[in-house]
Amino acid sequence: MRKWILCLSLAVFLLLGTGMQHRETVQVPIIMYHSLAGAGGSNTSIDGGQFEADLQYLREHGYEAVTLSQLVDFVHHDGALPERPVVLTFDDGYWNNYSIGLPLAKAYAMPFVLSVIGRDTEIWSEQWAENLRHGHVTWEQIREMVDSGLVEIANHTWDLHKTEHGRKGAQIRPGESLEQYAAVLQADLGRLQEALTERVGITPISFVYPFGATCPEGTEVLREMGFLATLSCYDGVNTLVRGNPDCLYDLRRYNRPPDRSVEEILQDLADELR
C-alpha cells in the first residue's frame, strides 16, 4: 500500500512539475496570424518584431504554445495540457511564416500551426522567388518546418480559398445538393491531403475554413474525411471537454491585427481564463 501511494504521489508530482494538468475541461485561446510582412494597411499582417513581442509576453506570463494535435490528444486520448495553453495559428502559408516565423518559433520554443493552400504552394514550388509580402511556402519548406518539430500543418483547401460562382470558401453554394457539396469538398481537400502525404510525409488532422466561413453541412463530410478539428474566425475562448469530440469543431480564434497585441487580447480574456 505504501509503495502504491508513493508511486501515485510521484506521478502527481511529475505531472504538476512539468506544468501539465490532468483536468476534465480546459479553456484554450487560439490566436490567428496571417502574414509577417508588416502591416501595409492590412488588418491581418504584422511584422516580425510584433510577433516576437507576442512570444516574449506569452513566455513571461506562463503561457505555453500547444498544437491542435495536443488538443485532439486531450479530448480523444486522455492527454495532458499545460496550465496556460495557447494555440498560435498562421493562415494561408506565406513564405514569411517560414523565413521570419520559424526562426522565432525556434528561439522561443513556441510551436505554431500553419494552414496551407495547396494551389499556392504548388505555384510557388514551381516558380520560386523570394517575395516577403506575396510569396508562399514550397513543399520543401513545409517539410523543413515539419521536421523542426515546431510546426503542425493544417489543410486550408487546395483551391477553394476564393469567392466565385456563388461559393465563399468551403461553404455550400445556394441550391447545391448535399451530395454535390460533399463531392466538391472530398475532391479539393482530398487533393491537398494526398499532396502533403506524398511530398511531405504527413496527413493533416485539422481543417481551417477559408475566411472563417464555416458550414454546418460540411462538418459530417470533414469528419468522414478524418479531420478531427476545424477552425473558424469567430472570436471566443474554446472550452475543451475530455471525451467530447464535438468541442473540437468550429474552434474560435482571435485575430491579431497590427494595433492589438496578444498582451491586450489575453488581458481582455483574463476573467474567462481563470
Side-chain angles (χ1 to χ4, degrees), residues 31-35 44 46 51 54 88-91 256 262:
I31 309 298
M32 177 175 61
Y33 298 93
H34 285 77
S35 174
T44 59
I46 62 174
F51 181 53
D54 288 350
L88 308 177
T89 66
F90 281 88
D91 285 13
R256 199 305 195 186
V262 158

Side-chain angles (χ1 to χ4, degrees), residues 237-251:
V237 175
N238 302 285
T239 301
L240 300 189
V241 181
R242 200 181 294 279
N244 178 16
D246 292 342
C247 69
L248 291 167
Y249 292 91
D250 295 350
L251 291 167

Side-chain angles (χ1 to χ4, degrees), residues 207-250:
F207 173 69
V208 179
Y209 283 95
F211 318 112
T214 59
C215 185
E217 294 87 348
T219 301
E220 189 56 38
V221 180
L222 295 170
R223 287 179 187 264
E224 292 175 358
M225 292 184 69
F227 291 107
L228 300 177
T230 64
L231 278 66
S232 75
C233 291
Y234 297 109
D235 286 352
V237 175
N238 302 285
T239 301
L240 300 189
V241 181
R242 200 181 294 279
N244 178 16
D246 292 342
C247 69
L248 291 167
Y249 292 91
D250 295 350

Side-chain angles (χ1 to χ4, degrees), residues 45-60:
S45 182
I46 62 174
D47 60 41
Q50 290 173 302
F51 181 53
E52 182 169 15
D54 288 350
L55 298 182
Q56 288 175 338
Y57 175 83
L58 293 173
R59 184 171 67 180
E60 291 170 1

